[in-house]
Amino acid sequence: DTSWGCDMEGEIACITDDVPMGVSKKDAGTHIKLLMLVNDVSLRGLIPGELAKGFGFFQSKPATAFSPVAVTPDELGESWRDAVIQLPLKVDYNGQPFGRAEVGQDATFSLADLVAHAAKTRNLGAGAIIGSGTISNKGADGGPGQPVAEGGAGYSCIAEIRMIETIADGEAKTRFMEPGDTVKIWMDDAQGHSIFGAIEQEVVSA
């Protein structure tokens, strides 16, 4: 249903082994065993109503898609530092470059921070998946990010560009996804080789 506001969210995720409750941020990184890419789909039109009820996301977070390949952190070599991948996440929307945001450039939290937070009040069983949140970069001047077509790093979700449009112009101009729209999410190493394979999806009517 297009009224639900279907949006992609390009993210990184890690898979852990058994993580003890209360693990420190320092030790949390040792429990990260695999890394992969995520399209953490959101239905923006349903989120406000759910959040207003005080119980968080449920219907507004449908099936998540993962990359076909997961790799161990050591496979990234120098591109894995301080539990953050130091490479751009690439997003194409309808065959055009939409996002090329550097994962480590403006990361508020490392994956180790997020694992420690998730384990604050519970043990995490082996196979737990922790997502990074949508990858985003500020503009060169420290302000909002710019589209790829304008020399910026672009975006990993539509909601971000819509918010920037609303601030700048008083209304959002970029629509959410509709049947027939496609998204591709992938990451290359420094030599241009694909690391995780690609998430490739098309929006279809139910």
Side-chain angles (χ1 to χ4, degrees):
D1 188 332
T2 56
S3 70
W4 292 349
C6 185
D7 194 1
M8 86 281 275
E9 284 192 45
E11 302 185 14
I12 308 298
C14 66
I15 303 174
T16 73
D17 60 9
D18 290 319
V19 183
M21 181 174 61
V23 67
S24 68
K25 293 180 182 179
K26 179 181 177 181
D27 293 335
T30 66
H31 294 282
I32 295 173
K33 299 304 176 184
L34 291 168
L35 301 165
M36 58 186 178
L37 306 183
V38 181
N39 184 10
D40 184 23
V41 180
S42 290
L43 300 177
R44 304 293 184 186
L46 301 183
I47 289 174
E50 290 203 311
L51 292 182
K53 294 178 177 66
F55 286 98
F57 302 102
F58 186 69
Q59 299 289 357
S60 50
K61 298 299 292 186
T64 296
F66 298 105
S67 55
V69 176
V71 304
T72 54
D74 62 290
E75 290 293 325
L76 296 176
E78 295 182 357
S79 297
W80 175 249
R81 293 198 308 274
D82 300 322
V84 178
I85 296 178
Q86 307 292 331
L87 290 166
L89 181 68
K90 300 182 177 182
V91 180
D92 281 3
Y93 182 35
N94 291 329
Q96 298 299 315
F98 186 78
R100 298 294 186 268
E102 292 282 347
V103 177
Q105 183 170 306
D106 296 307
T108 305
F109 302 105
S110 72
L111 286 170
D113 291 331
L114 298 175
V115 170
H117 182 70
K120 181 176 180 178
T121 60
R122 64 184 59 79
N123 298 316
L124 303 180
I129 300 172
I130 308 293
S132 66
T134 309
I135 307 303
S136 177
N137 286 166
K138 299 174 184 176
D141 60 356
Q146 297 295 312
V148 173
E150 297 177 14
Y155 315 98
S156 300
C157 69
I158 296 171
E160 183 175 0
I161 189 172
R162 283 174 59 87
M163 181 173 291
I164 292 170
E165 290 169 345
T166 300
I167 293 170
D169 306 319
E171 62 178 352
K173 299 176 181 178
T174 303
R175 62 171 174 77
F176 287 118
M177 303 177 82
E178 297 180 354
D181 288 339
T182 61
V183 60
K184 178 180 179 180
I185 302 172
W186 80 103
M187 179 178 285
D188 295 329
D189 64 17
Q191 289 72 46
H193 302 132
S194 176
I195 300 171
F196 303 97
I199 299 169
E200 296 188 76
Q201 296 177 283
E202 179 180 350
V203 180
V204 297
S205 299

